[in-house]
Amino acid sequence: MPVISVDWWKGNDRARRQELVGELTACVSRIAGCPEEAVTVIVRDVDPGHWGKGGLLADTPPEADATVLSAPQDTGGQQP
């Protein structure tokens, strides 16, 4: 039966997790045509320091973005 995994930033309270689980369960049950009891939802709270996007950790201060992005990049010997 359907198993849904959700990774999101740490800090959401129990009420928000419950709402997420309820809404995902109802939606998948409707689309898959299975009973809600057959749907499993796994919610993982991830610390922003363990979450990266665009080459930066999510807890990187905005002012550091420009410094990191302007640093020379390894081009593997190719001319940019």
Side-chain angles (χ1 to χ4, degrees), residues 36-52:
E36 289 190 357
E37 295 77 23
V39 178
T40 298
V41 179
I42 301 165
V43 180
R44 293 184 196 95
D45 291 331
V46 180
D47 189 278
H50 295 180
W51 184 298

